[in-house]
Structure formats: C-alpha cells, structure tokens
Amino acid sequence: MLTTSPTASCPSLHPTATQGKSRQSGHNAELTVNSLWGIYLVSENKTQLDDLVHFTLREWSRLSFNVTQAEVERAKAQLKASILLSLDGTTATAEDIGRQIVTTGRRMEANEVERVIGAISERDVMNFAQKKLWDQDVAISAIGSIEGLLDYSRIRNDMSRNTA
C-alpha cells in the first residue's frame, strides 16, 4: 500500500483544487488477476470538489506520457520509507507478510523489496499508467455534501485527457 501526504502532492495539482483543508492518500494493490488502484480524498472545500477530482485524474493521465526522474526518485524514497516505517511491530509485520503472500505468492525480504523498488524507472511508471490508468473506467464512491462533484461522464473523460 502506498500512501502520500498532502505536502507530497503532485506538482501540477491546480492551486484551486487544494485550497482550504484537504487530505489525500493513494493505494495500489497488484493481485494475481486483478489490481486495485485508487485514491482517498477528503476536502472541506465543498465548492471545488470537482476541481480536486479533475486535477487529480489529470495527473493520473499525465503519468502515461510524462514522468520525470526526480518524481520517480522521490516516489521511490517515499515508498521505501513508508514500507520500512510501517513494520514497527508484530501486528504490522504479520499484515505485511499476509499482503505479500496475497499479492506476490511469497514473502520478500527487506533487501529484495528495496532492490525491486530501486529498479523502477520512469519508463516503468509510464508503461504501468498506459496499461492500467489511461482511458480506463473509474469507480466513484462519495458521501457528504457532494453537490460540487460533477457527473460521471466528465470524470471518466479525464482518464484520457491528452496531457503530453
């Protein structure tokens, strides 16, 4: 599981999308047959929910065509730190073992995890995004005051925006 903090958000996320109090965390679980890729967004800025979703999905589309080495290196460092810092007790370690067994069929040692993450390149990220994100359907679940969130068609169209 990969999580990000509000301060580590995407560089081109539009300022209006992040005004006020908002939080985000992302996740990706690559399973044997299927995968789950998602983001959890919370915002008190009810009038610009659509901007928050729009610019987030625009960033996802951008990943298909334009990723810098600096972005990949920063993400790899955050992922390594997140994984290592999350293994702070027996319960967390047991959860990690279970997650690895479900997603890869075996448990990887810490040095192997670090090596695999370290080998990820910009091309790997773009290939993943082109295969799993570009022009793919999305599922949306929202609760609360979501009047500012526009219709599914607009949101779905953001998954194939040409940002190259």
Side-chain angles (χ1 to χ4, degrees):
M1 176 187 240
L2 169 66
T3 60
T4 58
S5 71
T7 58
S9 62
C10 300
S12 62
L13 198 57
H14 196 271
T16 61
T18 57
Q19 288 176 352
K21 295 182 180 180
S22 64
R23 296 181 315 228
Q24 64 184 26
S25 68
H27 56 271
N28 176 41
E30 193 77 27
L31 304 174
T32 316
V33 178
N34 298 314
S35 61
L36 175 64
W37 171 273
I39 191 164
Y40 173 78
L41 301 168
V42 176
S43 180
E44 293 179 14
N45 193 352
K46 298 173 185 172
T47 60
Q48 293 180 320
L49 291 176
D50 191 54
D51 285 341
L52 180 61
V53 172
H54 168 74
F55 289 109
T56 298
L57 295 182
R58 212 168 141 176
E59 274 297 296
W60 284 6
S61 293
R62 183 188 66 82
L63 292 175
S64 297
F65 302 103
N66 182 16
V67 178
T68 67
Q69 181 178 1
E71 289 174 310
V72 173
E73 292 303 318
R74 182 176 53 245
K76 290 188 314 188
Q78 288 175 343
L79 180 57
K80 288 177 190 178
S82 173
I83 289 171
L84 294 175
L85 292 173
S86 71
L87 302 176
D88 61 351
T90 56
T91 302
T93 301
E95 288 174 357
D96 181 62
I97 292 169
R99 186 173 25 260
Q100 285 189 33
I101 297 296
V102 169
T103 58
T104 67
R106 65 186 184 85
R107 177 158 192 229
M108 295 191 291
E109 296 296 326
N111 60 349
E112 184 181 3
V113 171
E114 188 172 351
R115 181 184 53 75
V116 169
I117 293 170
I120 296 171
S121 69
E122 301 93 273
R123 175 58 37 207
D124 294 328
V125 173
M126 288 186 281
N127 286 342
F128 172 87
Q130 287 169 4
K131 181 179 176 184
K132 301 285 187 173
L133 302 177
W134 179 255
D135 201 22
Q136 297 296 313
D137 289 332
V138 295
I140 300 167
S141 175
I143 59 171
S145 299
I146 58 166
E147 296 82 15
L149 190 60
L150 293 184
D151 66 278
Y152 179 82
S153 297
R154 164 133 188 250
I155 294 169
R156 173 60 178 88
N157 287 338
D158 283 335
M159 294 306 295
S160 60
R161 174 183 286 282
N162 187 0
T163 60

